[in-house]
Structure formats: structure tokens, C-alpha cells
Amino acid sequence: MKNITNKFFKGLTSRFSATVLLFALGCVATFAGSKMYIRDAETGAVNSFSIIPGEKKTVQVVLENPDDKVSYLEFYVNFKSGLKYVDKSLKKVTDRITRDSHSLIVTSEYEGRYHFGVISTSATMASSAIKGTKGAILEFEIEADPSYAPLASTDKKYSFSVDEIVACDATVLQAKPVIINEDEDGVSEPVFVSVLPNVGYAYADQSDVQIRPLGECLVGVSFANTIALTNFQCKVTLPEGLNFSSEEPIFRGDRISENVDVQFREIKDEPNSYILLLSSLTNDAFHDNDGNIFSLNLLGNKTFNTGKVVISDIEVSSPYNVFYDINDVLEYNVVTVTDPSGDGAWTSADITAVANAVLLGTQESVFDANNDGKVSSADITVAASKVLGN
């Protein structure tokens, strides 16, 4: 096994004084059956959970030691830029560590790196073991900077890591340091914790959209955000036969200020696909925190019958000019309806709709049941026959 040089609990005598801190280790043994990891105290998510930029979140250190008795424990936590340990937040989880059984210690080694210790206050090693064999032993808070964002690197992503995890065996009377989470080289394997920013989610205003022949329809996009947002970008994919209206292709929602520009462009080599961008040179944030931000105004041609509109590759940004990828993909089923009442089936409601159109002199093509170019009493007869035929 590889020799490890590390700091450990200083002043460990035959009675294992709880005096801090730490002495150098030589070659140590391992607890092959034990492991330690981090989880979200609220959701229980292990090694990967979300945080809102600017939020404080409680995390727990979980020790699983089914075959081992652990007395002392130490480890280091390394925080990436934008994430930090909240001072004086370290607490015991009293199901396993009581006020009288162990003391907790945390010291800052240098910026972003902290040294944690769980130190037995028992007079003898035999009675110093952490209670139980599974579950959290301590918890602390982390805090995300308001501009917190995930790493852009393609390397292994983590927001903080835990390494140099070393413990003491509670079954012997002399200090016997052991390694937890051992890797192939015989050293303590780091725990990589991925904490992703939770800035909100996109959703469709409606999943099913109806359109008349040669008519227009609106496809609405909404967003529920946990932080202020100033920009929104996405990819729009339209089915064949459905296009943007030439008069007003995009309708702003009430949450968008007049200073927000709405632009879209076709994607080269991707038919019927567009990049849509809502941006503000004045950094105007969207109003409120939930609701429609824009609607696509789409026009069907004479061949369009049914198809799917897809909103994907969503990206938003905060007033700090930090960009966040949103994994939501929105899909809308667009169907052409040809019956006068617009419910997709020929019923008595369609006969009434055509009759009213004749009485009012309405000449919309949707009421021209016999397709002769005009709305007349003949269309009432045709509508009745279609209903009876159904």
C-alpha cells in the first residue's frame, strides 16, 4: 500500500485526548467496507443536487460503516469559485453523534479548502465509536454566489470535492488510522459533488394547438424562474407546411419590456429550424417570476395537416451576464381543423355555426362546407349531411 503523509489528530495519547489537532501518518490500513459521501439534506440527492444562485443549502456528510467501528474521522472539503462554506454552520446529526460523545472541528486551510474533524471525547477507545452503521453524522451549509454557474470545462465537473478521508478504528486501544473510500493506489478517493444552479424551468402554455386551413395559430412559451433573467435563447423547429407569419412572427408576453429585442434567424443546413433570441441592451429583467414570455405566430399553408413544433436548446442569462443551459424540451402538437365549430369533429354545433354564418352574411372559408367559394344555404345542407355521415 502506498505511504500517505497527512495530518491527523494531534495529542492522541493512550486515553485519546480530544485536544486538536493532527499528526503525521505513515502507512495506514483501510476500512474496505466503509464509505463516505455528501447528500442534499432536504431532498436526499447524493453527490449531485441543485442550488439557486445566492441560496444557502444544508448538506449532510453520510458515513456507511456496516462492518467497521469508527471513532475519529477527518476529511478536507474543496470549494470551487462561486460556492463557499458558511461559517459556524457545522452541526452534529444527533442520531449518530451526541453532544457528549464527539466534538466537531472545522478550520480553513486556505481560500476554498476546509479541514473537518470528528473527535471522540470518550475516555477509552472502546466506547468512542460513532453510533450506528449508516446515515448522516454531521451537516453544514454551503452558499452560492449570486453569479454562481457550472464549470464550462469539459473536465470532470464538480462544485466541491471531499478528499483525504481518514478515520480511526474504535476497536483497538491505540491509534490505528484507516482510510475510507480507498482507490486502486491505496489512497483516499475524492468524493466529487456536482451542485447545479437551479434558475428555473420552461414549459408549454398548451400541448395541443389547433389551426384552420391557411390560418394562423399561437404557440406560447412560459418560464418559471427562481432568479432574475434578462435574456432567453432557444431553437425552434417547425413541421413542414408551418411557417412564421410575415406580419408579426413573435408576440411578446406581458413579462417582456419594450427594451427587449426579439430576433430569429434560420439555421443553415437545418430546414425549418431557427434560433430565437430575446435580449436587452439595457439589461431589463423579465417582469414577475412566472408566466408567458413570448408566443410564436405561425401560419399554415394549404398542404399542412398536422405536425409538431419543438422548442429546444434553451439558454437563459442573469443580470450578472451568467448564462445557464435549461434542459427542458417543449413539444406542441399542431392539428388542422376543418369543421366550422373548430372542435375537430362534425356535430350539430357545426350545422348551427354554418347557419349563423349564412344569417350574418359571413364569407369565411371555414363555413363554406361545399367549397364553392361562397357561404350560402347550400352549405347548411352539406354540413347536415356531414354530421349524419359521421
Side-chain angles (χ1 to χ4, degrees):
M1 178 181 294
K2 182 178 179 180
N3 287 346
I4 304 171
T5 301
N6 192 7
K7 293 181 179 179
F8 202 66
F9 305 108
K10 184 179 180 181
L12 289 178
T13 65
S14 60
R15 297 184 60 82
F16 290 90
S17 169
T19 304
V20 184
L21 285 171
L22 313 173
F23 75 95
L25 292 180
C27 184
V28 297
T30 65
F31 271 159
S34 296
K35 64 179 180 179
M36 196 189 88
Y37 56 87
I38 305 293
R39 72 182 179 195
D40 184 333
E42 181 179 2
T43 67
V46 175
N47 289 348
S48 181
F49 40 86
S50 65
I51 192 168
I52 299 170
E55 178 189 18
K56 291 181 180 179
K57 177 178 284 287
T58 300
V59 299
Q60 294 180 328
V61 176
V62 179
L63 176 66
E64 294 186 2
N65 53 309
D67 303 317
D68 308 305
K69 292 188 178 298
V70 177
S71 57
Y72 294 80
L73 182 70
E74 72 163 331
F75 54 92
Y76 290 84
V77 180
N78 311 283
F79 292 94
K80 285 294 184 180
S81 176
L83 200 69
K84 68 178 182 179
Y85 166 75
V86 177
D87 290 339
K88 300 180 181 178
S89 66
L90 183 62
K91 296 179 181 179
K92 300 174 183 178
V93 176
T94 55
D95 289 346
R96 301 197 64 186
I97 297 178
T98 67
R99 181 179 65 180
D100 298 327
S101 69
H102 291 78
S103 294
L104 304 183
I105 294 173
V106 57
T107 60
S108 176
E109 295 289 299
Y110 50 80
E111 184 176 1
R113 182 170 170 85
Y114 290 82
H115 191 179
F116 289 77
V118 180
I119 302 176
S120 172
T121 55
S122 172
T124 63
M125 180 63 94
S127 60
S128 66
I130 293 172
K131 292 193 299 182
T133 60
K134 186 176 182 179
I137 57 173
L138 57 87
E139 62 184 29
F140 58 89
E141 288 185 328
I142 60 174
E143 183 175 7
D145 187 271
S147 62
Y148 175 66
L151 297 177
S153 170
T154 56
D155 296 334
K156 187 170 186 178
K157 294 179 173 60
Y158 63 95
S159 296
F160 65 92
S161 63
V162 182
D163 58 26
E164 299 189 47
I165 308 167
V166 183
C168 266
D169 189 337
T171 63
V172 296
L173 295 178
Q174 300 227 350
K176 183 183 178 184
V178 293
I179 290 174
I180 294 177
N181 293 14
E182 180 191 28
D183 69 6
E184 294 179 356
D185 295 325
V187 298
S188 186
E189 182 180 7
V191 178
F192 294 98
V193 185
S194 176
V195 185
L196 305 175
N198 172 21
V199 301
Y201 62 91
Y203 62 93
D205 287 355
Q206 75 276 45
S207 58
D208 296 312
V209 181
Q210 292 183 345
I211 188 171
R212 294 287 192 180
L214 301 176
E216 295 179 345
C217 65
L218 293 179
V219 171
V221 175
S222 290
F223 202 91
N225 46 294
T226 56
I227 65 170
L229 298 179
T230 58
N231 297 291
F232 182 101
Q233 179 177 301
C234 66
K235 177 181 177 181
V236 178
T237 304
L238 301 179
E240 188 175 351
L242 205 59
N243 301 287
F244 284 99
S245 171
S246 58
E247 294 186 2
E248 191 164 6
I250 310 291
F251 286 107
R252 287 184 176 86
D254 293 338
R255 300 183 59 198
I256 305 299
S257 85
E258 291 299 320
N259 293 326
V260 173
D261 293 325
V262 181
Q263 307 170 47
F264 70 97
R265 60 175 175 80
E266 209 165 353
I267 301 176
K268 186 178 180 181
D269 299 327
E270 290 192 42
N272 304 318
S273 293
Y274 304 82
I275 293 294
L276 179 103
L277 174 64
L278 283 72
S279 61
S280 170
L281 294 177
T282 54
N283 221 25
D284 285 18
F286 298 165
H287 305 313
D288 302 321
N289 295 313
D290 194 5
N292 175 270
I293 52 177
F294 68 89
S295 295
L296 309 178
N297 189 19
L298 303 177
L299 176 67
N301 64 22
K302 62 182 180 181
T303 65
F304 180 74
N305 182 35
T306 184
K308 187 175 291 186
V309 175
V310 180
I311 308 291
S312 61
D313 299 349
I314 301 172
E315 184 179 82
V316 297
S317 69
S318 72
Y320 296 93
N321 202 34
V322 178
F323 290 82
Y324 302 94
D325 291 326
I326 306 298
N327 294 325
D328 304 307
V329 176
L330 313 183
E331 296 185 348
Y332 308 76
N333 298 311
V334 183
V335 178
T336 298
V337 292
T338 58
D339 63 300
S341 67
D343 63 2
W346 283 90
T347 65
S348 59
D350 298 300
I351 300 174
T352 302
V354 174
N356 288 336
V358 172
L359 290 173
L360 295 173
T362 303
Q363 292 298 311
E364 292 182 26
S365 60
V366 68
F367 302 110
D368 182 12
N370 62 2
N371 296 315
D372 65 355
K374 61 183 179 180
V375 177
S376 65
S377 58
D379 296 303
I380 301 175
T381 303
V382 172
S385 67
K386 287 180 177 289
V387 172
L388 292 174
N390 289 342

